[in-house]
Amino acid sequence: MDNGIQLLSFAISFLFGIGFSFVSRYHYDLVYKLSIIPKYVLTFLFILDISLFYILLLYYINHGVVHIYFVCVTLIGYVLERKIVAFVKKNVKSCPFVANLFHK
């Protein structure tokens, strides 16, 4: 795999981690009030869909090669998005639109 494809794979993995963090927060809000069986079924389907989507993205970029460092970059994107949202929730109170968006 050449360097351009690896850099593109890193960038896509990082952005996927950010997107996964964002979507998983809303998935949690969606299934939080459900009973135990639908909660487990929907969470299983969510994880299955997200995993298949990630593999499909990597398939189109680098023929489906998933290296451990792509997964690590995905986790870095996930954690970084959580930290940014926590920072915004804590420090942005002057803009009502942003405050209402993050303070549910």
Side-chain angles (χ1 to χ4, degrees):
M1 184 177 341
D2 73 3
N3 293 337
I5 293 176
Q6 279 190 336
L7 287 175
L8 183 61
S9 298
F10 279 132
I12 294 297
S13 294
F14 182 74
L15 292 174
F16 183 82
I18 290 173
F20 175 61
S21 178
F22 184 74
V23 172
S24 67
R25 185 179 314 110
Y26 286 107
H27 171 75
Y28 177 77
D29 291 341
L30 180 81
V31 299
Y32 179 72
K33 297 177 182 177
L34 296 176
S35 64
I36 194 81
I37 300 296
K39 188 182 294 188
Y40 282 135
V41 169
L42 287 176
T43 301
F44 173 75
L45 290 174
F46 174 73
I47 296 298
L48 183 68
D49 286 343
I50 288 292
S51 302
L52 290 175
F53 183 63
Y54 182 65
I55 291 170
L56 183 67
L57 276 175
L58 287 182
Y59 177 76
Y60 284 122
I61 294 169
N62 63 7
H63 304 294
V65 178
V66 179
H67 292 290
I68 188 70
Y69 44 85
F70 294 154
V71 177
C72 291
V73 170
T74 304
L75 291 175
I76 290 169
Y78 182 88
V79 171
L80 186 67
E81 195 272 341
R82 293 286 176 155
K83 298 288 183 186
I84 289 171
V85 168
F87 177 78
V88 169
K89 280 184 179 179
K90 180 180 176 187
N91 294 323
V92 176
K93 294 178 176 46
S94 62
C95 181
F97 174 72
V98 175
N100 289 336
L101 184 66
F102 287 112
H103 292 287
K104 290 186 177 183

